[in-house]
Amino acid sequence: MNWLNRLFTKYRHPKSATKFNVLAQFIYDLRHSKYSKIQMDVYYDEQLVLQLFNQKDINSWELKIPIIPDKNGGVLIALSFNKEIIDNEQNFDRFFKSPFFKSSVLLSHPGAESYFIAYPSSMSDNAIAEKVKNILNQVYLIDDSAELAVYVRAF
């Protein structure tokens, strides 16, 4: 079995719907995986709403993001806005008015605009999970009782 299959077996569960209170464990797995090129995908109502990446991996990307990566386990949160996402315009409007917008970096690519927010390795997994919860609450209007599908996988 190759490492990719082991990774999927370890993290991808048949029913990976989870409550907000376990996000920190998924973030820990993302930050401390021995594998490179790992991402955490957060789905709500079968739509991808957020992606998280370990900053040490961003130098290998074809898309260049104007962020100096924290190679010690900082986390990069990606919010993408495209026409296929339900309530896309309202979500973007809330994001634009939120405090998260001021700390984000825009990357335009075909079919979507993505905004990246970097959090340093000095932040705890719980603190980053709290930031994710706040983004989900404020931008996407997803409350704390909602069920999410969270996957940590290789890209």
Side-chain angles (χ1 to χ4, degrees):
M1 179 185 301
N2 68 30
W3 73 269
L4 183 61
N5 287 336
R6 284 196 307 273
L7 186 67
F8 278 122
T9 302
K10 181 176 179 185
Y11 293 114
R12 191 172 185 212
H13 306 289
K15 294 187 177 192
S16 65
T18 180
K19 297 289 185 190
F20 282 115
N21 59 358
V22 297
L23 281 175
Q25 181 59 50
F26 281 95
I27 291 168
Y28 176 87
D29 292 343
L30 172 75
R31 292 172 89 175
H32 301 286
S33 173
K34 64 181 179 179
Y35 304 109
S36 61
K37 298 184 179 180
I38 304 297
Q39 71 186 49
M40 179 176 141
D41 297 333
V42 180
Y43 289 84
Y44 174 72
D45 198 24
E46 298 183 10
Q47 291 186 74
L48 179 65
V49 290
L50 288 178
Q51 291 181 295
L52 286 80
F53 303 92
N54 192 320
Q55 288 184 37
K56 67 184 177 187
D57 294 328
I58 67 174
N59 284 334
S60 67
W61 293 4
E62 288 181 26
L63 298 172
K64 296 302 176 197
I65 300 171
I67 292 174
I68 298 171
D70 178 342
K71 296 179 183 183
N72 296 317
V75 172
L76 191 65
I77 298 177
L79 294 88
S80 294
F81 298 97
N82 63 51
K83 294 180 174 128
E84 296 179 16
I85 295 175
I86 295 173
D87 297 329
N88 180 58
E89 288 181 26
Q90 294 88 346
N91 292 339
F92 179 77
D93 188 51
R94 286 188 294 272
F95 173 66
F96 183 75
K97 294 175 182 174
S98 78
F100 301 106
F101 180 78
K102 291 179 180 76
S103 61
S104 68
V105 173
L106 170 64
L107 179 66
S108 292
H109 47 94
E113 290 187 335
S114 296
Y115 290 82
F116 293 88
I117 305 169
Y119 292 108
S121 58
S122 59
M123 282 186 80
S124 71
D125 300 329
N126 286 334
I128 294 173
E130 190 64 31
K131 296 287 186 186
V132 170
K133 284 195 269 186
N134 290 337
I135 291 169
L136 292 171
N137 292 154
Q138 294 174 29
V139 175
Y140 297 101
L141 301 180
I142 300 170
D143 66 27
D144 290 353
S145 64
E147 288 196 0
L148 303 172
V150 178
Y151 301 95
V152 176
R153 55 179 120 201
F155 63 89

